[in-house]
Amino acid sequence: MKLRLFFTTFACLSATLFACAKPTDKEKIDKVRYEITYRTKSIIDTTKVDSLGNFIYNEEDMRLDVGEQVSFFYSYSNALYEQQRIEMMNKGNFSVPNMRGGSISWKLFKNFPTGKTTYIDNVFRDGFRVVEPIEQPQWELIPDSTARILDYNCQMARCNYKGRQWFAWFTTDIPLDNGPWKLCGLPGLILRAYDAKQQYIFNCVGMKQAKEGENITYSSDFDKYAASTMKEFVDYQRKAIPEDILATQGIKIEVPEEMKAQMMKALAKPQPSNPLEL
């Protein structure tokens, strides 16, 4: 338990330290019109199951900020965690926040730059930026499918996209061509989406109009991240050895002697990875 807590804390801090160690310039790229929250379940380690053989999910809130031209999808749980961490640091408190962060570190800008998506992620302290042309899923509408989600009438569609088969419930009552992650291209907002293996599940739990003055921003630090393709990033993520990364950056971690053997064994192999794009 102590070792798991150590790695959870270490992973959260490593993923955010590189991006948030100092204030950065943020460019306002659009005004937020709508804020849509998705309760998200994801599986990072597909080799672990519970006593009944079921996957062990991580849960967090993701948020879709929809602007006039650009949208931004990110872990709202992580954003709140970071906000509290920075507030504590500004007061001289460098302990770990008592609130729970999320397990999804990536962020996605749609239609930024125009006609493209920008995917931002970290592998420990190494930042990566993937810019690609927008590729809309080719959806097949499911006849006679109906569901009531958040008091909206919804219809189901399915597609094969980025290595997974996806099912999505959308509503034409909200004529926004948008949804979680890169899912889009339907005649209404996607309120629920999941892949066929249910390793990623997005359920809309709330939406509201944004307050005046809310903006989608893009950090100048992101342009310093290593430019890569999604395949290059996923390959690096799957093969990255924490011990090697820490050594190249001159980082040493002191832990109690009884934890050292377990920790070094864990650091000497790649961490579990189940990317959304296969």
Side-chain angles (χ1 to χ4, degrees):
M1 177 62 73
K2 288 183 179 179
L3 187 64
R4 183 163 61 232
L5 178 60
F6 169 82
F7 275 109
T8 299
T9 303
F10 173 68
C12 290
L13 291 177
S14 297
T16 57
L17 181 61
F18 181 61
C20 301
K22 59 181 180 179
T24 59
D25 294 330
K26 292 188 176 182
E27 175 189 358
K28 296 177 182 179
I29 57 177
D30 206 346
K31 293 182 178 180
V32 181
R33 293 175 57 207
Y34 304 103
E35 298 171 345
I36 303 162
T37 302
Y38 293 88
R39 187 67 39 80
T40 301
K41 298 173 68 176
S42 61
I43 298 169
I44 304 302
D45 189 347
T46 57
T47 66
K48 289 187 176 181
V49 294
D50 62 20
S51 58
L52 299 177
N54 299 316
F55 287 130
I56 300 174
Y57 285 102
N58 296 294
E59 295 190 29
E60 63 199 281
D61 283 347
M62 303 287 290
R63 204 155 84 207
L64 176 65
D65 289 346
V66 180
E68 296 287 346
Q69 302 293 331
V70 178
S71 63
F72 180 42
F73 191 62
Y74 59 101
S75 171
Y76 190 52
S77 295
N78 272 341
L80 293 176
Y81 178 93
E82 277 303 298
Q83 180 180 342
Q84 186 180 51
R85 187 176 72 88
I86 292 172
E87 289 174 354
M88 290 169 59
M89 289 175 61
N90 289 338
K91 295 177 181 178
N93 182 352
F94 295 92
S95 60
V96 177
N98 55 15
M99 70 181 298
R100 181 181 177 184
S103 61
I104 294 177
S105 60
W106 51 264
K107 306 172 180 66
L108 180 73
F109 296 87
K110 292 181 194 172
N111 203 38
F112 183 79
T114 302
K116 297 182 179 181
T117 60
T118 297
Y119 177 98
I120 302 294
D121 204 353
N122 297 78
V123 179
F124 293 97
R125 293 183 65 185
D126 291 338
F128 291 83
R129 174 171 46 88
V130 180
V131 180
E132 300 174 316
I134 292 175
E135 181 184 343
Q136 283 200 353
Q138 300 301 305
W139 295 100
E140 172 193 0
L141 300 183
I142 308 299
D144 301 322
S145 58
T146 59
R148 191 81 172 166
I149 303 173
L150 295 180
D151 284 334
Y152 292 99
N153 291 321
C154 297
Q155 182 179 358
M156 178 182 277
R158 65 185 169 203
C159 69
N160 292 311
Y161 185 65
K162 303 292 186 181
R164 296 179 186 268
Q165 184 180 38
W166 284 96
F167 296 88
W169 289 97
F170 68 96
T171 177
T172 56
D173 294 338
I174 306 176
L176 290 176
D177 176 8
N178 220 317
W181 181 51
K182 296 181 178 181
L183 300 178
C184 60
L186 288 167
L189 180 67
I190 296 171
L191 297 184
R192 179 176 297 156
Y194 51 89
D195 69 299
K197 294 182 179 180
Q198 297 201 27
Q199 295 179 355
Y200 284 87
I201 302 170
F202 302 100
N203 280 313
C204 183
V205 294
M207 64 187 80
K208 63 181 180 180
Q209 286 190 319
K211 296 179 182 178
E212 188 66 31
E214 294 288 330
N215 296 297
I216 297 175
T217 61
Y218 181 85
S219 171
S220 59
D221 270 356
F222 295 155
D223 288 331
K224 302 173 186 176
Y225 285 16
S228 71
T229 65
M230 185 59 70
K231 183 180 185 305
E232 289 170 342
F233 169 72
V234 169
D235 285 347
Y236 183 87
Q237 185 183 50
R238 282 175 167 161
K239 298 174 183 177
I241 306 296
E243 185 179 20
D244 295 339
I245 294 174
L246 296 174
T248 60
Q249 296 175 350
I251 298 175
K252 295 182 180 180
I253 300 175
E254 298 296 332
V255 296
E257 195 65 35
E258 64 270 18
M259 289 174 56
K260 187 169 291 186
Q262 287 179 280
M263 190 201 74
M264 296 309 297
K265 182 179 179 181
L267 285 178
K269 62 181 181 181
Q271 301 300 289
S273 174
N274 182 31
L276 198 50
E277 295 189 32
L278 299 175

